[in-house]
Amino acid sequence: MHKKEAIFLEHYKNFQLSIFLASRDIEYLAANPPILEKQYTFFRKHFKFDKIYLELYRSETVDLNAYLSVKKFFEQKGIKLSAAFTAYSQTDENWEHRVAECLCYTDPAALSRTKSLFETMATHFDEILLDDYVFTNCTCQRCRELKGNRAWDDFRLELVPQVCQEYMIEPAKKINPNVKITLKYPTWHESYHRLGYNTTQSPFLFDEIYSGTETRNHLYSNFRNPRYTSYSLMQYLSSISPYRNRGNWFDTYGSVDVIDMLEQLYLSLFSSPKELTLYGWGTLYHTVYAAAMGFELERIDNFLGELGNAIGIPVYLPHNSSGEDHLYDFWGMCGLPFQPTVEFTENKRTILLTSASACDPQLIEKMAKHLIDGGNVILTPGCLEALKGKGIEEFTGMSMAPRAQLSNQFGIYGSADFETNYFSCEKPVSMRIVDFKLNEENLLAIQNQPSSPNPLLSYCNYGQGRLYLLNSPETWSDCYLLPIPILNTLRRELSKDLPIYLEGPGNVSLFPKDNHSCILQSYLPYNTTVQLHIKGNYKEIINLESKKRIPSDYQLHGESIFTLPLQKSTFSAYRW
């Protein structure tokens, strides 16, 4: 007998790379082995991938013989394999009455099929991934009758986990007790609770969860999030008990160009996932995306292990909440390193509260304790408005007026009027007007009109802490246009708990780490320079790619200041 030849595959050092092979491609590849071999060679040339996700079902079930023949092909190549399932149908009863062709989770035929598919996958695999279609918006007669007088949120938050347990997890584990089942959460977390993505129960039902970081072409998209979500969603889902968020996934959909793909890749990796999944095999084959991403994956892998854990300004998003969705992501695009979490921080750090935070009925009590103990709280306009009449008056006399102001002039207040400096942005920006009580609030940055200073950043004192109000343009992406000195003031004031902060234009993100390292990411279409302020006395910093040592410009007020070049649409990583 001949010994089986050992297979040696290259791997990335700091993450596992997987590729998703969609059901629509599998039968074709099974029927054309030379084409499958050719495509495998293409992907092996560009990527050091470890695993393939083989999708068995998406509206139609793949022929099992074809499915298993493709599985065997990859096994012979030494590739790890996982089954995959997408709860999407264009054939079920009344499918055309459901947005995005999701399933009805009370349809006996769909549930029976789902149970059978999970039994089949568990028979042949030790791992199953659920794509981010484990939701429902069905309002059929069955669903309405079962819902009764409950809100749709409450009904679906109970229904979907129950179906996952009874028709997916239990049947699969009965066939194969060792099978691990992973639930992928989508990028649109503002809709989770409305459509049945339960963040309190489902993470305990599944062995692991996964993050959908596909922000796609954020200029022309039905998604409402900017690129920063490709980073922040991983942070949010990783804060959810029992803390088993394995990785990130992004795709080629939504008219993406190469820059879109690379920015999704960068931010997905900057959040330090154990695994990164590319969707998908069919849409990436023989494209420029593959070559570009392959180069960048190698580039990032060379220094990723030198970065620590992500740190930032926490944003409190309670379970099953929504409101001012992704507002913090827009500020994240301006160098404010916001980091969403399901927990209200019990320490003296600065925390951002949005109208989603106000979904917590104990928020006022938590704020009071935080401020009295010396912590700082940043309120958004929506949070201030949501807490009106519920106790916010204990802390501040500010309120949101029912009108807006348009101006392109902004100012920074010093300790007296003669110290105020004014700056203009390229177009007028509309902002909600804040009614404030003079000499109770300290104005730090304003939007200006004659006799109408409108707070952009202001604060009042309570206990040992500060209560800030961070106003926002009515069109949130207009925060990218704010004058550089205004953005610098926001970053400096709100990053007091962090070891670093950024000075420079909007459309630049800062990703600080806990081991004296950081990443700067530019989304600008032109090269620029920024200043990095590091708290402490540091003579130099090191570029983690080039290993070049960069001397500080000067030290001032306990900070070391470095002027750093940033190339357009890419990143630089540093440690000190």
Side-chain angles (χ1 to χ4, degrees):
M1 293 180 64
H2 294 286
K3 273 189 175 182
K4 186 176 178 181
E5 185 177 348
I7 299 172
F8 298 100
L9 298 175
E10 287 189 286
H11 306 280
Y12 297 108
K13 301 186 293 290
N14 296 295
F15 54 90
Q16 177 176 285
L17 184 69
S18 302
I19 304 176
F20 193 96
L21 182 47
S23 58
R24 63 176 175 265
D25 297 317
I26 290 176
E27 289 189 21
Y28 171 74
L29 293 174
N32 296 276
I35 293 177
L36 176 55
E37 183 69 48
K38 180 181 178 181
Q39 292 188 5
Y40 174 84
T41 301
F42 171 85
F43 282 104
R44 202 75 236 170
K45 173 184 177 182
H46 294 294
F47 301 115
K48 300 176 183 179
F49 62 94
D50 305 89
K51 183 164 66 176
I52 295 291
Y53 287 105
L54 291 177
E55 186 180 49
L56 179 61
Y57 177 85
R58 183 183 296 247
S59 194
E60 295 182 355
T61 304
V62 178
D63 175 79
L64 187 58
N65 289 330
Y67 187 72
L68 294 178
S69 71
V70 173
K71 175 178 182 282
K72 183 178 180 181
F73 170 85
F74 286 112
E75 285 175 334
Q76 292 174 339
K77 300 290 188 182
I79 303 296
K80 298 175 186 176
L81 291 159
S82 170
F85 168 85
T86 303
Y88 167 96
S89 177
Q90 291 185 335
T91 58
D92 285 353
E93 173 190 46
N94 293 322
W95 70 268
E96 65 274 15
H97 296 293
R98 293 188 289 276
V99 175
E101 293 81 49
C102 63
L103 300 188
C104 170
Y105 282 65
T106 66
D107 179 357
L111 296 177
S112 176
R113 179 187 64 232
T114 298
K115 180 175 181 288
S116 176
L117 286 166
F118 273 78
E119 289 171 339
T120 298
M121 289 186 289
T123 299
H124 300 285
F125 293 86
D126 289 327
E127 184 181 338
I128 301 170
L129 174 69
L130 280 68
D131 193 2
D132 57 9
Y133 254 77
V134 189
F135 70 91
T136 186
N137 52 54
C138 185
T139 57
C140 71
Q141 183 177 346
R142 269 190 317 269
C143 288
R144 295 196 308 273
E145 290 175 354
L146 283 171
K147 178 180 80 72
N149 294 325
R150 289 179 289 174
W152 282 110
D153 302 45
D154 297 334
F155 170 63
R156 291 166 180 160
L157 285 171
E158 178 183 316
L159 174 66
V160 173
Q162 179 183 335
V163 167
C164 290
Q165 180 69 28
E166 294 182 12
Y167 293 92
M168 300 176 188
I169 297 169
E170 288 179 358
K173 289 189 179 284
K174 185 176 181 180
I175 294 290
N176 180 359
N178 296 319
V179 68
K180 291 186 176 181
I181 307 177
T182 300
L183 173 66
K184 180 195 170 202
Y185 281 84
T187 190
W188 30 270
H189 72 77
E190 66 276 5
S191 303
Y192 285 179
H193 61 293
R194 180 69 177 174
L195 301 179
Y197 268 107
N198 191 316
T199 56
T200 58
Q201 187 177 355
S202 294
F204 287 91
L205 298 179
F206 290 89
D207 296 287
E208 292 180 302
I209 61 174
Y210 220 85
S211 308
T213 54
E214 57 269 45
T215 44
R216 300 176 179 167
N217 186 332
H218 62 96
L219 298 178
Y220 306 99
S221 173
N222 61 348
F223 286 1
R224 297 190 297 136
N225 44 19
R227 184 71 72 225
Y228 192 83
T229 309
S230 289
Y231 174 83
S232 68
L233 184 68
M234 178 72 177
Q235 307 305 318
Y236 175 65
L237 291 173
S238 295
S239 77
I240 296 174
S241 180
Y243 315 112
R244 297 195 294 243
N245 187 10
R246 186 172 82 239
N248 292 336
W249 154 323
F250 61 93
D251 59 37
T252 59
Y253 292 152
S255 302
V256 295
D257 59 23
V258 173
I259 297 299
D260 295 323
M261 289 297 292
L262 294 182
E263 287 179 351
Q264 289 183 104
L265 183 150
Y266 297 153
L267 272 65
S268 294
L269 280 179
F270 295 164
S271 63
S272 303
K274 297 177 184 175
E275 179 181 288
L276 183 69
T277 295
L278 308 179
Y279 186 104
W281 185 280
T283 55
L284 285 173
Y285 175 67
H286 209 46
T287 66
V288 69
Y289 301 141
M293 288 195 296
F295 178 85
E296 294 297 280
L297 285 166
E298 191 74 29
R299 175 189 173 199
I300 296 172
D301 191 43
N302 285 331
F303 68 82
L304 195 61
E306 297 184 56
L307 299 172
N309 298 312
I311 56 175
I313 305 165
V315 184
Y316 177 42
L317 301 182
H319 289 287
N320 306 323
S321 65
S322 62
E324 292 184 304
D325 307 319
H326 301 285
L327 173 56
Y328 55 87
D329 285 326
F330 287 88
W331 286 117
M333 298 284 289
C334 293
L336 282 165
F338 285 124
Q339 193 167 354
T341 172
V342 295
E343 301 293 339
F344 190 103
T345 55
E346 297 292 339
N347 54 36
K348 296 182 180 181
R349 294 179 61 193
T350 301
I351 186 170
L352 176 72
L353 303 180
T354 72
S355 59
S357 314
C359 294
D360 180 352
Q362 279 80 50
L363 184 62
I364 288 291
E365 289 83 354
K366 292 177 180 178
M367 284 175 56
K369 183 179 186 304
H370 193 71
L371 289 163
I372 289 169
D373 290 345
N376 298 325
V377 171
I378 310 166
L379 296 183
T380 62
C383 189
L384 179 62
E385 206 161 35
L387 295 176
K388 184 178 181 180
K390 298 180 180 179
I392 191 63
E393 295 79 9
E394 168 68 14
F395 310 105
T396 179
M398 289 187 292
S399 62
M400 300 307 300
R403 61 193 190 278
Q405 178 169 287
L406 188 69
S407 177
N408 72 332
Q409 189 178 65
F410 291 82
I412 301 170
Y413 272 12
S415 59
D417 284 346
F418 60 80
E419 293 179 345
T420 305
N421 294 303
Y422 292 94
F423 309 91
S424 296
C425 55
E426 62 185 65
K427 72 171 188 177
V429 172
S430 178
M431 288 176 53
R432 287 282 300 278
I433 290 178
V434 179
D435 280 335
F436 64 95
K437 304 297 182 276
L438 192 64
N439 291 328
E440 181 188 45
E441 321 298 336
N442 192 355
L443 306 185
L444 300 176
I446 62 162
Q447 178 202 46
N448 194 55
Q449 281 282 26
S451 302
S452 185
N454 188 26
L456 173 59
L457 182 65
S458 58
Y459 74 88
C460 58
N461 298 308
Y462 189 88
Q464 300 300 310
R466 285 183 175 183
L467 179 70
Y468 291 94
L469 176 67
L470 176 61
N471 204 350
S472 302
E474 289 197 299
T475 299
W476 290 344
S477 58
D478 280 352
C479 66
Y480 309 161
L481 305 177
L482 294 176
I484 290 174
I486 300 295
L487 288 174
N488 292 346
T489 297
L490 305 187
R491 296 163 181 146
R492 181 175 59 252
E493 185 68 25
L494 301 181
S495 300
K496 288 182 175 179
D497 296 329
L498 299 176
I500 56 175
Y501 65 90
L502 174 69
E503 289 194 339
N507 267 311
V508 175
S509 288
L510 170 66
F511 302 104
K513 305 294 180 176
D514 65 358
N515 68 337
H516 293 222
S517 65
C518 73
I519 305 168
L520 296 169
Q521 168 70 48
S522 172
Y523 314 98
L524 294 166
Y526 51 83
N527 297 342
T528 190
T529 58
V530 298
Q531 283 193 319
L532 188 65
H533 288 242
I534 303 177
K535 295 169 186 177
N537 185 12
Y538 295 95
K539 302 293 186 188
E540 62 183 18
I541 58 174
I542 301 172
N543 184 302
L544 291 180
E545 286 189 87
S546 67
K547 306 305 179 187
K548 180 180 177 181
R549 296 177 179 271
I550 303 165
S552 65
D553 297 339
Y554 55 93
Q555 276 80 36
L556 183 66
H557 303 313
E559 297 177 350
S560 303
I561 294 90
F562 297 84
T563 299
L564 304 171
L566 262 183
Q567 292 187 324
K568 63 178 184 178
S569 303
T570 190
F571 64 87
S572 296
Y574 300 95
R575 65 177 170 85
W576 55 92

